[in-house]
Amino acid sequence: MSPFAPLALAASLLFAAPLVADENPAVLSVSGQAVLQVPADQLRISLGVEAEAKTVEDAHAKAISAMDDVIKAMKKLGLEEKTEFTIERYNVDTQWTPRPRNPGPDWRSKIVGYTVRTQMQIKTGKLELAGRIIAAGVEAGANDIGDVMFDLTDPRTSRQQAIEAATQNAMVDAKSMADAAGVKLTSIQSLSLDGSNYQPRMFKAAAEYGRSGAMAMDSMAAPAPIISGDVTVNANVRLVWLITGPQ
């Protein structure tokens, strides 16, 4: 018998044996969260005009005249057209006679008038003007005041910062857990983002001033102060480590 036969047999058995990986590796899973308070740097608000008349021409004329006055008021406050405010909506709605409770067979609804709505969108970094913008807009003829929103010009940057902070928090927690359990972190198996968003600071201006725009003229001289505050930015991540041990 050849002296090399046992070696050849051992080699064939070695290559024939399946290489089975560990299907249930030991892991350590943690979640990381970060909540940032970022100072707002942008003011957003809408000022709308709604006008009614028997004819669409008269309703249009009333709405455009009032919006022209609102535009002049915003320019007087120092806001720049196109860069800080734009007119983004113009709608015409038909008014019909309401349906009676028991209409006769010949009853038909008829046009009784028209409603024209136009809206100005304001986006500016002059946060201190929030109260004055609302007061000046209402005095000029705006009768549909949107909510005041203090926002971020570049929310993406703050979102990235929150994600980075959440990931670091997850790394620190993983190390603390591993040390306490006497195991060793070997490599990251998975890292996922569970969610990231931000919440602009909002004020319900419409509830305070009313859709009719009716306010006492003496209140216009001293508009209520509106403080911008911070925008909340948060992120959540999930981190799974492969571990060995206990040591």
Side-chain angles (χ1 to χ4, degrees):
M1 183 175 180
S2 171
F4 297 103
L7 293 178
L9 178 61
S12 64
L13 291 175
L14 175 63
F15 285 108
L19 299 178
V20 180
D22 188 356
E23 296 182 355
N24 297 296
V27 298
L28 185 152
S29 177
V30 294
S31 295
Q33 182 182 26
V35 180
L36 306 182
Q37 298 297 327
V38 184
D41 60 3
Q42 184 181 84
L43 166 66
R44 295 169 59 188
I45 186 173
S46 65
L47 301 177
V49 170
E50 180 178 312
E52 298 179 353
K54 296 294 184 182
T55 67
V56 67
E57 292 81 5
D58 288 344
H60 168 81
K62 289 181 180 180
I64 294 304
S65 177
M67 183 54 75
D68 284 343
D69 290 339
V70 175
I71 291 174
K72 292 175 183 177
M74 296 304 104
K75 289 182 177 180
K76 189 174 180 180
L77 288 177
L79 299 183
E80 297 291 335
E81 191 171 2
K82 295 184 179 180
T83 58
E84 291 181 293
F85 69 86
T86 56
I87 308 301
E88 297 188 355
R89 190 185 74 176
Y90 181 89
N91 293 334
V92 179
D93 294 325
T94 305
Q95 300 175 3
W96 298 83
T97 52
R99 183 180 179 85
R101 179 173 298 180
N102 297 306
D106 298 331
W107 181 86
R108 296 291 185 275
S109 183
K110 298 180 181 180
I111 296 176
V112 295
Y114 297 88
T115 302
V116 172
R117 298 180 179 88
T118 181
Q119 189 175 72
M120 171 188 291
Q121 293 290 342
I122 298 172
K123 187 185 297 184
T124 178
K126 300 168 184 173
L127 310 186
E128 71 282 359
L129 292 182
R132 295 176 61 189
I133 286 173
I134 295 174
V138 172
E139 185 176 11
N143 52 15
D144 185 2
I145 312 301
D147 295 337
V148 180
M149 181 182 296
F150 292 102
D151 206 347
L152 299 175
T153 303
D154 182 19
R156 177 69 182 179
T157 298
S158 298
R159 180 175 177 269
Q160 290 175 342
Q161 293 173 350
I163 293 173
E164 291 173 2
T167 303
Q168 289 298 319
N169 290 339
M171 297 282 286
V172 171
D173 289 346
K175 186 178 185 307
S176 297
M177 291 178 64
D179 291 344
V183 298
K184 181 180 179 180
L185 301 174
T186 58
S187 62
I188 295 177
Q189 186 183 47
S190 68
L191 178 61
S192 60
L193 178 63
D194 286 346
S196 176
N197 57 61
Y198 75 105
Q199 302 171 0
R201 186 175 175 85
M202 297 182 64
F203 292 86
K204 294 291 183 181
E208 178 180 354
Y209 291 90
R211 292 181 60 85
S212 66
M215 292 184 66
M217 292 302 293
D218 57 351
S219 68
M220 292 297 180
I226 300 178
I227 308 302
S228 62
D230 296 334
V231 174
T232 302
V233 184
N234 60 67
N236 294 278
V237 301
R238 182 175 177 81
L239 179 65
V240 178
W241 279 90
L242 293 175
I243 59 175
T244 59
Q247 294 176 342

